[in-house]
């Protein structure tokens, strides 16, 4: 067996990195707070590898994300709070509790029945944690667009929702008009507020379309990068850079890249 086999090896690596005498200076000085941004970053890199369908990268990125879990658990263990085994046992217990139709004596459920039962279970869990509000456990630290989608989804489960997609589209037009008014007035503070309202409606629209808004925006970001790189390549072939071009020329190159993508697609 390799010296790198299994979770025990990873836990041992983490212990050595945090060893007060012989550990790595950088790893030893980290805290929950300093590591948290890396945890978020690694989550996005996992999502990126999945989006690119790069399974080799995905394996590596999942390892990086697992290391983040191990890192946090090690810090907690050093403070006498909990350890990695507690984390693993906790999620196992939660999954078993939330799936009585698999691990218990509850009969087989459809996906819709499981979703309904899931909400009942989570409501009981919120109550046990003294969190009684429907929205109480939607994490504040999520990316704003993702949190907006989760907030609207949670509210919709108790009936606070537009009846159909058309009402959301009407609201989108309304919020766009309100944003235009504030932009015309030159009121940046109000424009920022109206832009937030517009983005929130967009999160609702994504939910209604059963689209993950972060995934949709990630795809558009990748498309923008791809097309802009085409502009750069075209200009480079002429011995120039984008700052030596102008908007009209770059826009024409953009449109050409768009046409080419559609033909290839």
């Amino acid at each position: 067996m390799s010296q790198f086999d299994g979770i025990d090896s990873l836990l041992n690596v983490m212990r050595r990195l945090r060893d007060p005498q012989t550990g790595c200076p950088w790893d030893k000085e980290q805290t929950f707070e300093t590591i948290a941004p890396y945890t978020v970053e690694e989550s996005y890199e996992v999502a990126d590898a999945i989006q690119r369908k790069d399974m080799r990268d995905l394996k590596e990125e999942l390892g990086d994300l697992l290391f983040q879990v191990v890192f946090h658990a090690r810090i907690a263990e050093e403070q006498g709070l909990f350890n990695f085994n507690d984390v693993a046992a906790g999620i196992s217990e939660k999954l078993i509790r939330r799936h009585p139709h698999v691990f218990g004596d509850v009969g087989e459920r459809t996906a819709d029945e499981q979703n309904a039962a899931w909400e009942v279970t989570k409501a009981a869990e919120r109550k046990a944690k003294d969190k009684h509000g429907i929205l109480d456990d939607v994490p504040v630290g999520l990316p704003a667009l993702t949190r907006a989608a989760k907030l609207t989804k949670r509210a919709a489960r108790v009936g606070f929702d537009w009846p159909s997609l058309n009402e959301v589209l009407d609201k989108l037009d309304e919020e766009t008009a309100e944003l235009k008014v504030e932009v015309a007035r030159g009121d940046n503070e109000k424009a920022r507020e109206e832009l937030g309202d517009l983005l929130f409606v967009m999160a609702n629209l994504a939910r209604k379309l059963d689209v993950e808004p972060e995934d949709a925006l990630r795809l558009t970001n990748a498309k923008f990068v791809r097309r802009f790189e085409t502009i750069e390549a075209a200009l480079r072939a002429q011995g120039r850079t984008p700052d030596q071009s102008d908007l009209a020329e770059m826009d024409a190159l953009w449109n050409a890249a768009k046409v080419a993508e559609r033909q290839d697609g």
Side-chain angles (χ1 to χ4, degrees):
M1 292 179 63
S2 164
Q3 62 174 316
F4 301 116
D5 284 330
I7 189 63
D8 288 339
S9 175
L10 179 56
L11 292 172
N12 184 55
V13 167
M14 188 71 256
R15 280 192 293 270
R16 291 189 63 181
L17 288 172
R18 292 278 294 182
D19 186 279
Q21 280 74 46
T22 61
C24 169
W26 185 88
D27 289 278
K28 288 192 295 182
E29 69 182 20
Q30 300 312 306
T31 65
F32 292 126
E33 292 76 14
T34 62
I35 289 297
Y38 296 102
T39 308
V40 173
E41 180 181 332
E42 295 299 349
S43 299
Y44 279 118
E45 290 183 1
V46 166
D48 177 65
I50 293 171
Q51 190 68 57
R52 292 184 286 106
K53 295 180 171 47
D54 189 330
M55 295 301 104
R56 183 174 180 177
D57 242 14
L58 177 58
K59 182 179 75 170
E60 181 177 345
E61 297 302 345
L62 285 171
D64 291 343
L65 184 57
L66 177 59
F67 180 69
Q68 292 298 307
V69 176
V70 168
F71 209 144
H72 284 289
R74 180 62 195 174
I75 295 172
E77 184 175 359
E78 291 168 358
Q79 297 179 17
L81 302 173
F82 56 82
N83 60 28
F84 180 83
N85 285 337
D86 296 328
V87 173
I91 186 59
S92 296
E93 187 276 330
K94 181 190 289 185
L95 289 171
I96 291 169
R97 184 176 69 249
R98 289 184 176 179
H99 295 81
H101 55 299
V102 176
F103 300 100
D105 55 5
V106 174
E108 186 176 347
R109 289 172 174 170
T110 66
D112 287 342
E113 288 171 339
Q114 173 58 15
N115 282 336
W118 184 276
E119 287 308 309
V120 172
T121 301
K122 290 184 78 172
E125 290 173 357
R126 285 195 297 272
K127 186 176 181 180
K129 294 178 181 178
D130 201 28
K131 293 182 176 181
H132 302 285
I134 296 296
L135 308 177
D136 280 356
D137 61 344
V138 180
V140 176
L142 287 172
L145 192 59
T146 296
R147 187 164 192 260
K150 287 185 177 294
L151 289 170
T152 65
K153 184 177 181 180
R154 185 67 63 80
R157 285 175 178 167
V158 294
F160 192 70
D161 191 17
W162 281 290
S164 72
L165 183 64
N166 286 334
E167 282 86 358
V168 184
L169 292 170
D170 289 342
K171 188 65 175 176
L172 189 62
D173 291 338
E174 177 188 326
E175 295 295 350
T176 301
E178 291 177 3
L179 175 59
K180 287 180 178 178
V181 168
E182 300 306 335
V183 170
R185 287 176 178 168
D187 189 333
N188 285 345
E189 280 300 310
K190 288 294 292 182
R192 181 178 68 170
E193 181 181 339
E194 295 298 343
L195 179 60
D197 291 347
L198 182 61
L199 290 170
F200 195 84
V201 176
M202 292 296 291
N204 263 291
L205 179 60
R207 177 177 55 81
K208 285 289 191 182
L209 293 171
D210 196 23
V211 170
E212 169 54 51
E214 290 286 344
D215 287 345
L217 187 55
R218 193 178 295 114
L219 283 170
T220 297
N221 287 343
K223 180 167 59 178
F224 180 86
V225 170
R226 188 171 63 247
R227 290 179 182 173
F228 194 80
E229 286 175 343
T230 301
I231 292 174
E232 289 180 309
L235 292 171
R236 193 181 305 117
Q238 301 173 24
R240 294 187 295 144
T241 58
D243 59 333
Q244 295 169 327
S245 179
D246 57 32
L247 178 58
E249 181 182 28
M250 286 191 286
D251 197 43
L253 291 170
W254 175 278
N255 289 330
K258 197 157 118 179
V259 170
E261 282 186 5
R262 286 174 178 168
Q263 290 173 344
D264 291 342

